[in-house]
Amino acid sequence: MITAAAMLSAMALGGWAQLPRWHYTPLPHNWMNDPNGMFYDPVHEKYHLFTQYLTPRVWSHAVSDDLLSWNEQPIALLNNNSYDSGGVFSGSGTVLRNGSVVLLYSVSTNDKMCAAFPTNPNDPNMAGWTKSSMNPIVSTTTEGQNAPAGRDPTTMWFDENSNKYLFTYGTTSGAVVFSSTGDLNKWTNEGFLMNSTSGQWECPNFFETNIPDLYLLKASTKGKDYFLLGSYDPSTVKFHSLNGANMGASPSQLYDHGTYYASKSFYDPKHKRQILYGWVREERSVNSHGSPYGWASCQSFPRVINVVKIGSEFVTTFNPISEMMLLRNESTHVSYNESLAAGEKTASLLQGISFELTIKYSGSCGVLIREGKNESTKVTFDNTTLVIDTTMSSNNETGHSSSASLKPSYAAGDIRIVADRSILEVYANNGSTVMTRRMYPNEIDSTNIVLISSPSASCKANVNGWLWKESM
């Protein structure tokens, strides 16, 4: 049997010990950031994922049957035209009502929106993409459009009454909407979906949730991904947030309380769910080409956005897709019922570098992740607060502590921890509070997983754990 320490030692010799196995990074490895253009192709039954990639930016492209294993495709969008030579920036994919697919994207100059189509729609992988001859389809200099500067167009939605497609993109004043009839060549400014003074909106997202007539509007702004729930009036093309809330006004509006930004979601008609990806940057110094490590950043594990109504309150949850359970190596399963007095800790419950834990608890508990002689990442949780502390994660990187408030009224005492080499995701209270962080253990023995209690309070916990497979 190959031990976790032996595996880590072998990878370290190649310099790739921190590269996640099941969190997507494009090949060949280099710089990567925003997720883009995702869609499900029902004809060929494939998922498509694009990312901002390389410097200057282009779009990588990969396809998957299961959202777990990805097959790399050629670069989808190169920065090879005068209007996008500075870089192909973020955007979205849309499967139109007739089944055809269009990608919308923005450019580095922050003043143009462009479109691209599959070169051969019958190709199961849609490996080639052709830019529209009408590009840019929206521009600050196009007469009559009155387009404000901005970037990152959303997935289009269709309005039955006006027979138009619409999309929105981010500006310094909120999210502006443009509409077009079926040819997608002529676009008209419909005004602002929502105005804002929170600064530049990046990577907006807008969709109807699983609760009919309840909509979610998201913006990446002020360094975080915020969202609002509310109603949408198609006659005025306006979004009205619940209770008149403003974007970015409260931590309770965050998708994720950790290292997470520029997220993008898409609707999966196969399983009737809204799937979310986010850019998880490095928490160590890298340059714009991923040096000195040869790669930089990864995508979060895909999450399902779901809204639950409890009385008069709406709770939004972000949980991993159910396919995650396929990664469990069932032969490594462990289960413990532990009761710890204040200041106690268990022996190692499991040893590994990629794993999943599910915990039902009461009191004030914690887990030491990737613990070794000199390193460990501490995750602590009680009825009110989740904390991830990476100050001791690595003997050659500097970490910090981050915290988030829990929603005690929903699924209290529930924690799910996912570690994939250098990425750590914690889903608390059934995904109503999520935090993502990076950790960089550097020592071969840093593989232990240990349950702890608070120095001043006891902990009771039922723990189930699995190491993750290295291949499917």
Side-chain angles (χ1 to χ4, degrees):
M1 178 179 176
I2 300 176
T3 65
M7 185 181 297
L8 187 63
S9 177
M11 289 190 298
L13 292 174
W16 298 96
Q18 312 295 356
L19 181 68
R21 172 63 184 88
W22 295 107
H23 289 70
Y24 175 76
T25 57
L27 294 170
H29 295 297
N30 203 290
W31 172 274
M32 179 216 67
N33 52 314
D34 304 4
N36 288 308
M38 300 94 74
F39 65 89
Y40 176 74
D41 171 18
V43 176
H44 302 104
E45 299 184 321
K46 290 184 182 295
Y47 295 96
H48 291 254
L49 171 63
F50 306 80
T51 71
Q52 275 192 284
Y53 179 52
L54 305 179
T55 303
R57 303 289 184 259
V58 299
W59 275 23
S60 70
H61 179 203
V63 299
S64 175
D65 298 321
D66 57 11
L67 296 171
L68 299 175
S69 299
W70 293 91
N71 295 313
E72 294 293 331
Q73 303 300 309
I75 297 295
L77 299 176
L78 291 165
N79 59 321
N80 57 356
N81 295 86
S82 58
Y83 53 80
D84 60 17
S85 60
V88 178
F89 275 29
S90 289
S92 303
T94 302
V95 179
L96 303 178
R97 283 153 53 96
N98 64 7
S100 60
V101 180
V102 59
L103 301 179
L104 297 182
Y105 68 95
S106 52
V107 300
S108 64
T109 48
N110 214 39
D111 60 355
K112 299 176 181 70
M113 306 297 141
C114 303
F117 306 91
T119 305
N120 177 8
N122 295 319
D123 173 10
N125 293 326
M126 298 187 189
W129 292 83
T130 299
K131 296 174 184 176
S132 171
S133 61
M134 302 298 291
N135 281 347
I137 59 170
V138 172
S139 170
T140 58
T141 59
T142 299
E143 185 176 354
Q145 284 190 332
N146 298 315
R151 56 183 177 267
D152 311 336
T154 63
T155 296
M156 292 184 278
W157 68 95
F158 187 78
D159 181 68
E160 297 278 359
N161 293 325
S162 64
N163 199 38
K164 291 180 179 179
Y165 283 99
L166 303 96
F167 73 88
T168 184
Y169 65 86
T171 77
T172 56
S173 301
V176 66
V177 176
F178 275 77
S179 69
S180 176
T181 54
D183 61 6
L184 305 184
N185 289 327
K186 185 178 180 180
W187 291 87
T188 302
N189 188 332
E190 297 284 353
F192 278 81
L193 181 68
M194 182 180 185
N195 290 100
S196 175
T197 58
S198 65
Q200 175 69 54
W201 281 21
E202 298 183 290
C203 306
N205 217 184
F206 180 64
F207 57 90
E208 187 176 13
T209 70
N210 56 290
I211 295 180
D213 299 321
L214 181 68
Y215 286 77
L216 186 151
L217 177 63
K218 168 261 173 183
S220 299
T221 184
K222 300 191 289 189
K224 293 286 187 178
D225 280 14
Y226 292 90
F227 74 96
L228 296 170
L229 297 176
S231 61
Y232 171 62
D233 184 348
S235 66
T236 60
V237 196
K238 298 294 183 184
F239 172 81
H240 302 282
S241 62
L242 296 178
N243 303 315
N246 295 316
M247 189 71 77
S250 168
S252 65
Q253 301 170 357
L254 287 172
Y255 268 8
D256 188 298
H257 294 259
T259 304
Y260 187 92
Y261 193 66
S263 61
K264 181 70 65 177
S265 74
F266 73 102
Y267 183 69
D268 172 14
K270 183 178 180 180
H271 298 291
K272 295 180 172 56
R273 57 189 178 176
Q274 191 79 22
I275 297 179
L276 176 70
Y277 280 90
W279 169 37
V280 183
R281 62 172 174 80
E282 297 299 315
E283 292 187 39
R284 57 184 179 181
S285 296
V286 294
N287 72 9
S288 59
H289 300 282
S291 294
Y293 306 104
W295 62 282
S297 309
C298 64
Q299 296 300 320
S300 65
F301 200 85
R303 303 168 185 176
V304 176
I305 303 176
N306 195 59
V307 180
V308 179
K309 189 173 184 181
I310 303 175
S312 61
E313 180 186 9
F314 292 103
V315 176
T316 308
T317 63
F318 309 88
N319 281 303
I321 59 172
S322 59
E323 290 90 332
M324 175 183 281
M325 292 187 291
L326 298 175
L327 300 180
R328 296 173 177 174
N329 183 342
E330 293 294 346
S331 68
T332 68
H333 177 234
V334 295
S335 183
Y336 296 92
N337 280 298
E338 298 287 348
S339 183
L340 302 179
E344 288 188 338
K345 60 186 289 188
T346 65
S348 180
L349 305 178
L350 193 65
Q351 290 184 317
I353 59 176
S354 297
F355 54 86
E356 176 190 355
L357 303 176
T358 62
I359 303 172
K360 301 290 185 181
Y361 72 95
S362 62
S364 185
C365 305
V367 179
L368 299 180
I369 305 292
R370 301 283 304 273
E371 184 201 37
K373 292 179 181 178
N374 304 297
E375 300 175 323
S376 69
T377 297
K378 184 187 292 185
V379 180
T380 57
F381 37 91
D382 55 23
N383 290 333
T384 62
T385 309
L386 168 68
V387 178
I388 299 180
D389 186 350
T390 63
T391 55
M392 297 294 292
S393 291
S394 172
N395 64 13
N396 64 354
E397 300 289 344
T398 301
H400 67 275
S401 180
S402 51
S403 64
S405 297
L406 301 181
K407 295 179 174 64
S409 62
Y410 183 71
D414 172 82
I415 288 283
R416 189 175 190 177
I417 297 175
V418 172
D420 187 5
R421 299 181 184 171
S422 66
I423 183 171
L424 177 64
E425 295 174 306
V426 180
Y427 304 84
N429 291 12
N430 194 31
S432 58
T433 300
V434 183
M435 190 183 299
T436 302
R437 293 291 307 277
R438 303 302 300 273
M439 55 183 181
Y440 305 100
N442 191 53
E443 297 181 347
I444 299 303
D445 69 342
S446 298
T447 61
N448 294 305
I449 302 158
V450 176
L451 183 71
I452 62 173
S453 61
S454 162
S456 58
S458 62
C459 162
K460 290 184 178 181
N462 173 256
V463 183
N464 283 274
W466 301 262
L467 297 183
W468 273 4
K469 302 171 185 176
E470 280 298 308
S471 62
M472 292 291 289

mmCIF file of all heavy atoms in Angstrom, residues 4-35:
data_model
loop_
_atom_site.group_PDB
_atom_site.id
_atom_site.type_symbol
_atom_site.label_atom_id
_atom_site.label_comp_id
_atom_site.label_asym_id
_atom_site.label_seq_id
_atom_site.Cartn_x
_atom_site.Cartn_y
_atom_site.Cartn_z
ATOM 1 N N ALA A 4 0.321 7.901 2.545
ATOM 2 C CA ALA A 4 0.202 9.318 2.203
ATOM 3 C C ALA A 4 1.562 9.999 2.228
ATOM 4 O O ALA A 4 1.872 10.838 1.382
ATOM 5 C CB ALA A 4 -0.759 9.995 3.177
ATOM 6 N N ALA A 5 2.400 9.625 3.206
ATOM 7 C CA ALA A 5 3.724 10.239 3.296
ATOM 8 C C ALA A 5 4.586 9.890 2.087
ATOM 9 O O ALA A 5 5.294 10.742 1.545
ATOM 10 C CB ALA A 5 4.410 9.795 4.588
ATOM 11 N N ALA A 6 4.520 8.621 1.651
ATOM 12 C CA ALA A 6 5.294 8.219 0.477
ATOM 13 C C ALA A 6 4.818 8.938 -0.764
ATOM 14 O O ALA A 6 5.617 9.359 -1.613
ATOM 15 C CB ALA A 6 5.197 6.707 0.289
ATOM 16 N N MET A 7 3.501 9.116 -0.898
ATOM 17 C CA MET A 7 2.949 9.814 -2.053
ATOM 18 C C MET A 7 3.395 11.267 -2.046
ATOM 19 O O MET A 7 3.800 11.833 -3.059
ATOM 20 C CB MET A 7 1.431 9.731 -2.027
ATOM 21 C CG MET A 7 0.739 10.324 -3.251
ATOM 22 S SD MET A 7 -1.056 10.188 -3.107
ATOM 23 C CE MET A 7 -1.232 8.395 -3.069
ATOM 24 N N LEU A 8 3.340 11.903 -0.865
ATOM 25 C CA LEU A 8 3.754 13.285 -0.744
ATOM 26 C C LEU A 8 5.227 13.438 -1.060
ATOM 27 O O LEU A 8 5.643 14.383 -1.740
ATOM 28 C CB LEU A 8 3.475 13.787 0.675
ATOM 29 C CG LEU A 8 3.702 15.266 0.954
ATOM 30 C CD1 LEU A 8 2.766 16.108 0.108
ATOM 31 C CD2 LEU A 8 3.485 15.570 2.433
ATOM 32 N N SER A 9 6.054 12.485 -0.598
ATOM 33 C CA SER A 9 7.485 12.537 -0.882
ATOM 34 C C SER A 9 7.753 12.436 -2.372
ATOM 35 O O SER A 9 8.559 13.180 -2.930
ATOM 36 C CB SER A 9 8.194 11.398 -0.141
ATOM 37 O OG SER A 9 9.564 11.387 -0.444
ATOM 38 N N ALA A 10 7.067 11.533 -3.057
ATOM 39 C CA ALA A 10 7.253 11.377 -4.496
ATOM 40 C C ALA A 10 6.859 12.628 -5.254
ATOM 41 O O ALA A 10 7.539 13.054 -6.186
ATOM 42 C CB ALA A 10 6.454 10.177 -5.000
ATOM 43 N N MET A 11 5.742 13.251 -4.852
ATOM 44 C CA MET A 11 5.304 14.466 -5.531
ATOM 45 C C MET A 11 6.249 15.621 -5.262
ATOM 46 O O MET A 11 6.510 16.440 -6.135
ATOM 47 C CB MET A 11 3.888 14.826 -5.086
ATOM 48 C CG MET A 11 2.815 13.898 -5.607
ATOM 49 S SD MET A 11 1.167 14.544 -5.299
ATOM 50 C CE MET A 11 1.155 14.601 -3.518
ATOM 51 N N ALA A 12 6.762 15.696 -4.035
ATOM 52 C CA ALA A 12 7.654 16.791 -3.686
ATOM 53 C C ALA A 12 8.916 16.773 -4.542
ATOM 54 O O ALA A 12 9.444 17.813 -4.910
ATOM 55 C CB ALA A 12 8.016 16.721 -2.202
ATOM 56 N N LEU A 13 9.369 15.564 -4.880
ATOM 57 C CA LEU A 13 10.552 15.467 -5.720
ATOM 58 C C LEU A 13 10.324 16.101 -7.083
ATOM 59 O O LEU A 13 11.226 16.629 -7.707
ATOM 60 C CB LEU A 13 10.956 13.998 -5.888
ATOM 61 C CG LEU A 13 11.470 13.303 -4.629
ATOM 62 C CD1 LEU A 13 11.697 11.821 -4.914
ATOM 63 C CD2 LEU A 13 12.760 13.949 -4.146
ATOM 64 N N GLY A 14 9.060 16.071 -7.547
ATOM 65 C CA GLY A 14 8.728 16.696 -8.822
ATOM 66 C C GLY A 14 8.244 18.121 -8.680
ATOM 67 O O GLY A 14 7.920 18.770 -9.664
ATOM 68 N N GLY A 15 8.151 18.653 -7.425
ATOM 69 C CA GLY A 15 7.741 20.027 -7.214
ATOM 70 C C GLY A 15 6.252 20.263 -7.316
ATOM 71 O O GLY A 15 5.801 21.399 -7.430
ATOM 72 N N TRP A 16 5.418 19.212 -7.250
ATOM 73 C CA TRP A 16 3.989 19.359 -7.470
ATOM 74 C C TRP A 16 3.163 18.906 -6.269
ATOM 75 O O TRP A 16 1.994 18.583 -6.404
ATOM 76 C CB TRP A 16 3.577 18.553 -8.701
ATOM 77 C CG TRP A 16 4.260 19.053 -9.942
ATOM 78 C CD1 TRP A 16 5.395 18.554 -10.503
ATOM 79 C CD2 TRP A 16 3.880 20.176 -10.724
ATOM 80 N NE1 TRP A 16 5.746 19.291 -11.607
ATOM 81 C CE2 TRP A 16 4.831 20.289 -11.769
ATOM 82 C CE3 TRP A 16 2.832 21.090 -10.658
ATOM 83 C CZ2 TRP A 16 4.763 21.295 -12.724
ATOM 84 C CZ3 TRP A 16 2.766 22.077 -11.621
ATOM 85 C CH2 TRP A 16 3.724 22.176 -12.635
ATOM 86 N N ALA A 17 3.738 18.941 -5.088
ATOM 87 C CA ALA A 17 3.057 18.413 -3.909
ATOM 88 C C ALA A 17 1.780 19.164 -3.561
ATOM 89 O O ALA A 17 0.904 18.605 -2.905
ATOM 90 C CB ALA A 17 4.003 18.448 -2.713
ATOM 91 N N GLN A 18 1.681 20.416 -3.980
ATOM 92 C CA GLN A 18 0.525 21.223 -3.601
ATOM 93 C C GLN A 18 -0.564 21.259 -4.668
ATOM 94 O O GLN A 18 -1.631 21.832 -4.434
ATOM 95 C CB GLN A 18 0.981 22.669 -3.300
ATOM 96 C CG GLN A 18 2.186 22.792 -2.397
ATOM 97 C CD GLN A 18 1.939 22.278 -0.987
ATOM 98 O OE1 GLN A 18 0.829 21.889 -0.650
ATOM 99 N NE2 GLN A 18 2.974 22.266 -0.168
ATOM 100 N N LEU A 19 -0.329 20.684 -5.835
ATOM 101 C CA LEU A 19 -1.296 20.759 -6.935
ATOM 102 C C LEU A 19 -2.524 19.907 -6.624
ATOM 103 O O LEU A 19 -2.420 18.698 -6.459
ATOM 104 C CB LEU A 19 -0.655 20.277 -8.231
ATOM 105 C CG LEU A 19 -1.543 20.319 -9.474
ATOM 106 C CD1 LEU A 19 -1.839 21.755 -9.872
ATOM 107 C CD2 LEU A 19 -0.874 19.575 -10.639
ATOM 108 N N PRO A 20 -3.730 20.516 -6.527
ATOM 109 C CA PRO A 20 -4.933 19.718 -6.224
ATOM 110 C C PRO A 20 -5.191 18.666 -7.296
ATOM 111 O O PRO A 20 -4.914 18.875 -8.472
ATOM 112 C CB PRO A 20 -6.051 20.773 -6.204
ATOM 113 C CG PRO A 20 -5.354 22.065 -5.915
ATOM 114 C CD PRO A 20 -4.028 21.949 -6.606
ATOM 115 N N ARG A 21 -5.759 17.541 -6.853
ATOM 116 C CA ARG A 21 -6.060 16.453 -7.780
ATOM 117 C C ARG A 21 -7.452 16.587 -8.377
ATOM 118 O O ARG A 21 -7.652 16.319 -9.559
ATOM 119 C CB ARG A 21 -5.921 15.107 -7.047
ATOM 120 C CG ARG A 21 -6.411 13.900 -7.855
ATOM 121 C CD ARG A 21 -5.584 13.703 -9.111
ATOM 122 N NE ARG A 21 -6.117 12.618 -9.932
ATOM 123 C CZ ARG A 21 -7.055 12.755 -10.868
ATOM 124 N NH1 ARG A 21 -7.591 13.952 -11.083
ATOM 125 N NH2 ARG A 21 -7.464 11.724 -11.576
ATOM 126 N N TRP A 22 -8.436 17.021 -7.585
ATOM 127 C CA TRP A 22 -9.826 16.999 -8.032
ATOM 128 C C TRP A 22 -10.436 18.397 -8.136
ATOM 129 O O TRP A 22 -11.645 18.522 -8.340
ATOM 130 C CB TRP A 22 -10.660 16.121 -7.110
ATOM 131 C CG TRP A 22 -10.242 14.683 -7.179
ATOM 132 C CD1 TRP A 22 -9.550 13.976 -6.239
ATOM 133 C CD2 TRP A 22 -10.473 13.766 -8.256
ATOM 134 N NE1 TRP A 22 -9.333 12.688 -6.646
ATOM 135 C CE2 TRP A 22 -9.899 12.523 -7.898
ATOM 136 C CE3 TRP A 22 -11.113 13.863 -9.498
ATOM 137 C CZ2 TRP A 22 -9.938 11.403 -8.711
ATOM 138 C CZ3 TRP A 22 -11.152 12.742 -10.321
ATOM 139 C CH2 TRP A 22 -10.573 11.530 -9.926
ATOM 140 N N HIS A 23 -9.645 19.415 -7.973
ATOM 141 C CA HIS A 23 -10.076 20.789 -8.203
ATOM 142 C C HIS A 23 -9.411 21.246 -9.501
ATOM 143 O O HIS A 23 -8.185 21.281 -9.592
ATOM 144 C CB HIS A 23 -9.678 21.693 -7.038
ATOM 145 C CG HIS A 23 -10.462 21.434 -5.792
ATOM 146 N ND1 HIS A 23 -10.308 20.277 -5.051
ATOM 147 C CD2 HIS A 23 -11.414 22.177 -5.159
ATOM 148 C CE1 HIS A 23 -11.131 20.332 -4.006
ATOM 149 N NE2 HIS A 23 -11.809 21.468 -4.048
ATOM 150 N N TYR A 24 -10.223 21.600 -10.454
ATOM 151 C CA TYR A 24 -9.739 21.763 -11.829
ATOM 152 C C TYR A 24 -8.641 22.829 -11.965
ATOM 153 O O TYR A 24 -8.751 23.944 -11.447
ATOM 154 C CB TYR A 24 -10.903 22.125 -12.757
ATOM 155 C CG TYR A 24 -10.450 22.429 -14.160
ATOM 156 C CD1 TYR A 24 -10.083 21.402 -15.022
ATOM 157 C CD2 TYR A 24 -10.359 23.739 -14.605
ATOM 158 C CE1 TYR A 24 -9.638 21.673 -16.307
ATOM 159 C CE2 TYR A 24 -9.919 24.021 -15.887
ATOM 160 C CZ TYR A 24 -9.555 22.988 -16.739
ATOM 161 O OH TYR A 24 -9.102 23.273 -18.000
ATOM 162 N N THR A 25 -7.595 22.438 -12.675
ATOM 163 C CA THR A 25 -6.569 23.354 -13.171
ATOM 164 C C THR A 25 -6.291 22.966 -14.623
ATOM 165 O O THR A 25 -6.210 21.775 -14.940
ATOM 166 C CB THR A 25 -5.250 23.267 -12.373
ATOM 167 O OG1 THR A 25 -4.768 21.916 -12.408
ATOM 168 C CG2 THR A 25 -5.449 23.678 -10.926
ATOM 169 N N PRO A 26 -6.167 23.938 -15.532
ATOM 170 C CA PRO A 26 -5.986 23.608 -16.956
ATOM 171 C C PRO A 26 -4.585 23.096 -17.250
ATOM 172 O O PRO A 26 -3.628 23.352 -16.506
ATOM 173 C CB PRO A 26 -6.249 24.940 -17.665
ATOM 174 C CG PRO A 26 -5.947 25.979 -16.644
ATOM 175 C CD PRO A 26 -6.287 25.383 -15.309
ATOM 176 N N LEU A 27 -4.488 22.349 -18.348
ATOM 177 C CA LEU A 27 -3.207 21.846 -18.836
ATOM 178 C C LEU A 27 -2.873 22.503 -20.175
ATOM 179 O O LEU A 27 -3.765 22.716 -20.987
ATOM 180 C CB LEU A 27 -3.270 20.325 -19.017
ATOM 181 C CG LEU A 27 -3.438 19.494 -17.744
ATOM 182 C CD1 LEU A 27 -3.721 18.036 -18.104
ATOM 183 C CD2 LEU A 27 -2.198 19.598 -16.876
ATOM 184 N N PRO A 28 -1.577 22.775 -20.458
ATOM 185 C CA PRO A 28 -0.454 22.640 -19.521
ATOM 186 C C PRO A 28 -0.567 23.651 -18.393
ATOM 187 O O PRO A 28 -1.154 24.718 -18.562
ATOM 188 C CB PRO A 28 0.769 22.896 -20.400
ATOM 189 C CG PRO A 28 0.265 23.746 -21.514
ATOM 190 C CD PRO A 28 -1.141 23.290 -21.779
ATOM 191 N N HIS A 29 -0.002 23.309 -17.233
ATOM 192 C CA HIS A 29 -0.155 24.151 -16.059
ATOM 193 C C HIS A 29 0.508 25.501 -16.256
ATOM 194 O O HIS A 29 1.582 25.616 -16.838
ATOM 195 C CB HIS A 29 0.431 23.451 -14.836
ATOM 196 C CG HIS A 29 -0.314 22.209 -14.462
ATOM 197 N ND1 HIS A 29 -1.627 22.223 -14.066
ATOM 198 C CD2 HIS A 29 0.065 20.917 -14.434
ATOM 199 C CE1 HIS A 29 -2.033 20.999 -13.801
ATOM 200 N NE2 HIS A 29 -1.018 20.176 -14.017
ATOM 201 N N ASN A 30 -0.161 26.534 -15.757
ATOM 202 C CA ASN A 30 0.309 27.904 -15.856
ATOM 203 C C ASN A 30 -0.585 28.737 -14.958
ATOM 204 O O ASN A 30 -1.232 28.209 -14.053
ATOM 205 C CB ASN A 30 0.256 28.378 -17.318
ATOM 206 C CG ASN A 30 1.206 29.539 -17.601
ATOM 207 O OD1 ASN A 30 0.994 30.654 -17.156
ATOM 208 N ND2 ASN A 30 2.268 29.254 -18.352
ATOM 209 N N TRP A 31 -0.662 30.039 -15.211
ATOM 210 C CA TRP A 31 -1.594 30.896 -14.482
ATOM 211 C C TRP A 31 -3.033 30.600 -14.898
ATOM 212 O O TRP A 31 -3.312 30.352 -16.060
ATOM 213 C CB TRP A 31 -1.284 32.365 -14.763
ATOM 214 C CG TRP A 31 -2.316 33.299 -14.205
ATOM 215 C CD1 TRP A 31 -3.480 33.703 -14.796
ATOM 216 C CD2 TRP A 31 -2.295 33.909 -12.922
ATOM 217 N NE1 TRP A 31 -4.191 34.529 -13.955
ATOM 218 C CE2 TRP A 31 -3.488 34.682 -12.795
ATOM 219 C CE3 TRP A 31 -1.391 33.891 -11.850
ATOM 220 C CZ2 TRP A 31 -3.780 35.432 -11.653
ATOM 221 C CZ3 TRP A 31 -1.685 34.630 -10.720
ATOM 222 C CH2 TRP A 31 -2.867 35.390 -10.640
ATOM 223 N N MET A 32 -3.969 30.639 -13.942
ATOM 224 C CA MET A 32 -5.394 30.521 -14.214
ATOM 225 C C MET A 32 -6.147 31.346 -13.188
ATOM 226 O O MET A 32 -5.733 31.432 -12.037
ATOM 227 C CB MET A 32 -5.844 29.063 -14.124
ATOM 228 C CG MET A 32 -7.327 28.850 -14.374
ATOM 229 S SD MET A 32 -8.009 27.535 -13.348
ATOM 230 C CE MET A 32 -7.861 28.277 -11.728
ATOM 231 N N ASN A 33 -7.267 31.975 -13.630
ATOM 232 C CA ASN A 33 -8.117 32.626 -12.633
ATOM 233 C C ASN A 33 -9.599 32.361 -12.901
ATOM 234 O O ASN A 33 -10.053 31.244 -12.692
ATOM 235 C CB ASN A 33 -7.773 34.114 -12.438
ATOM 236 C CG ASN A 33 -7.732 34.934 -13.694
ATOM 237 O OD1 ASN A 33 -7.153 34.546 -14.701
ATOM 238 N ND2 ASN A 33 -8.335 36.110 -13.667
ATOM 239 N N ASP A 34 -10.374 33.322 -13.381
ATOM 240 C CA ASP A 34 -11.838 33.226 -13.369
ATOM 241 C C ASP A 34 -12.382 32.023 -14.136
ATOM 242 O O ASP A 34 -11.958 31.758 -15.269
ATOM 243 C CB ASP A 34 -12.456 34.469 -13.996
ATOM 244 C CG ASP A 34 -12.009 35.755 -13.344
ATOM 245 O OD1 ASP A 34 -11.156 35.711 -12.453
ATOM 246 O OD2 ASP A 34 -12.521 36.810 -13.748
ATOM 247 N N PRO A 35 -13.405 31.334 -13.571
ATOM 248 C CA PRO A 35 -14.163 30.352 -14.349
ATOM 249 C C PRO A 35 -15.076 31.089 -15.329
ATOM 250 O O PRO A 35 -15.597 32.166 -15.016
ATOM 251 C CB PRO A 35 -14.975 29.611 -13.289
ATOM 252 C CG PRO A 35 -15.168 30.626 -12.203
ATOM 253 C CD PRO A 35 -13.923 31.459 -12.195
#
